[in-house]
Amino acid sequence: MTDRFALDGTAVVTGASKGIGRAVAERFAAAGANVAVCARTDDEIEAAAAEISDAYAGEAVGVACDVRDREAVAAFVETAVERFGGVDTLVNNAGASFVAGFEDISANGWQSVVDVNLTGTVNCTQAAADPLKESGTDGTASSVVNVSSLAGVQGAPHMSHYGAAKAAIQNLTRSLAAEWAGDGVRVNCVAPGYVATPGVEAQMGISPGEIDRETVDRTVGTSAEVADAVQFLASDAASFVTGETLPVAGVPEIEHTPRT
């Protein structure tokens, strides 16, 4: 039964130099899969790929790529295909945001967040469409796992641009799952809440070392816990799961104080 959770073939992971993307790439490589990883700077992603290759059974190749640039994305996916022979899993993790009240978000600021989070997901998925479908018709389904956010599920005051873009990713996930099912491609989504990534540590002072995975009563998780969810959705254990968004956010906040 544990083999149903195995990861193999080739995974393409965006935004993988640190945080959730890095944890996901390491998870695939640890299982023996090859991984193509990207981030925006050469030095950062090349170092990450070298460290992954040295530490795990799978091989990693790193490519500097801005997911907003369709040509750069196409070249990144082509590198994965040329190096490893195809693409079996795509994890759209690259994202960005900033905190601002709605009326203070400039047109450029809004467009920048939408472009990285939503358009970047579109660019990468379109670029990987053919190799994913080729893999999906070989007898084993291929998989896309999009990384949304709890902000896209329940809204996010002072991050409306980010929440809107992430909500659109969830809708895209469901639409594409229906469209690509006949091609043997499953499309799902994870929606993390607070995760002790380097960004959250810088903003909130919460480090991964402070998180006890044995504790249920918490609302901050680790990148490895998001990688657990991605592994499930990408594996054969999720063979009957497509078009779904899986929140990874700890205890739900369902109590409200009445106001008049």
Side-chain angles (χ1 to χ4, degrees), residues 110-122:
W110 181 278
Q111 194 62 53
S112 178
V113 168
V114 171
D115 282 349
V116 173
N117 291 281
L118 175 58
T119 308
T121 296
V122 170

Side-chain angles (χ1 to χ4, degrees), residues 61-119:
V61 59
V63 177
C65 174
D66 185 335
V67 296
R68 297 172 294 182
D69 183 335
R70 290 179 68 88
E71 291 184 359
V73 168
F76 170 48
V77 173
E78 185 177 353
T79 296
V81 172
E82 290 180 350
R83 184 73 169 266
F84 301 126
V87 176
D88 302 287
T89 304
L90 169 65
V91 181
N92 285 308
N93 171 72
S97 189
F98 58 88
V99 177
F102 177 70
E103 66 274 21
D104 296 323
I105 302 172
S106 67
N108 182 67
W110 181 278
Q111 194 62 53
S112 178
V113 168
V114 171
D115 282 349
V116 173
N117 291 281
L118 175 58
T119 308

Side-chain angles (χ1 to χ4, degrees), residues 4 26 39 58 61 81-82 97 100 110 157 164-165 185 188 205-206 208 223-224 226 259:
R4 299 290 296 171
E26 290 180 348
V61 59
V81 172
E82 290 180 350
S97 189
W110 181 278
V185 183
N188 288 293
I206 302 172
S223 295
V226 180
R259 291 199 300 269

Side-chain angles (χ1 to χ4, degrees), residues 4-219:
R4 299 290 296 171
F5 293 88
L7 302 171
D8 52 25
T10 298
V12 169
V13 185
T14 67
S17 62
K18 56 190 174 183
I20 292 171
R22 176 67 177 264
V24 169
E26 290 180 348
R27 181 65 56 83
F28 275 88
N34 296 317
V35 291
V37 294
C38 79
R40 281 190 278 185
T41 60
D42 279 305
D43 292 346
E44 197 172 38
I45 198 61
E46 288 175 2
E51 291 166 4
I52 292 170
S53 292
D54 289 344
Y56 301 104
E59 182 183 352
V61 59
V63 177
C65 174
D66 185 335
V67 296
R68 297 172 294 182
D69 183 335
R70 290 179 68 88
E71 291 184 359
V73 168
F76 170 48
V77 173
E78 185 177 353
T79 296
V81 172
E82 290 180 350
R83 184 73 169 266
F84 301 126
V87 176
D88 302 287
T89 304
L90 169 65
V91 181
N92 285 308
N93 171 72
S97 189
F98 58 88
V99 177
F102 177 70
E103 66 274 21
D104 296 323
I105 302 172
S106 67
N108 182 67
W110 181 278
Q111 194 62 53
S112 178
V113 168
V114 171
D115 282 349
V116 173
N117 291 281
L118 175 58
T119 308
T121 296
V122 170
N123 290 343
C124 295
T125 308
Q126 287 184 333
D130 286 345
L132 283 168
K133 290 179 180 181
E134 289 174 11
S135 174
T137 57
D138 286 343
T140 301
S142 56
S143 178
V144 178
V145 182
N146 295 320
V147 179
S148 177
S149 168
L150 199 62
V153 176
Q154 63 186 25
H158 305 291
M159 293 184 72
S160 56
H161 46 356
Y162 181 73
K166 291 299 193 181
I169 289 172
Q170 294 167 31
N171 190 286
L172 174 65
T173 295
R174 196 157 182 83
S175 299
L176 198 55
E179 191 170 329
W180 281 7
D183 297 302
V185 183
R186 294 185 298 103
V187 186
N188 288 293
C189 186
V190 293
Y194 287 112
V195 178
T197 61
V200 168
E201 183 174 7
Q203 292 176 2
M204 303 176 65
I206 302 172
S207 67
E210 299 176 56
I211 309 300
D212 181 3
R213 290 193 61 164
E214 300 304 314
T215 299
V216 175
D217 189 10
R218 57 189 168 94
T219 56

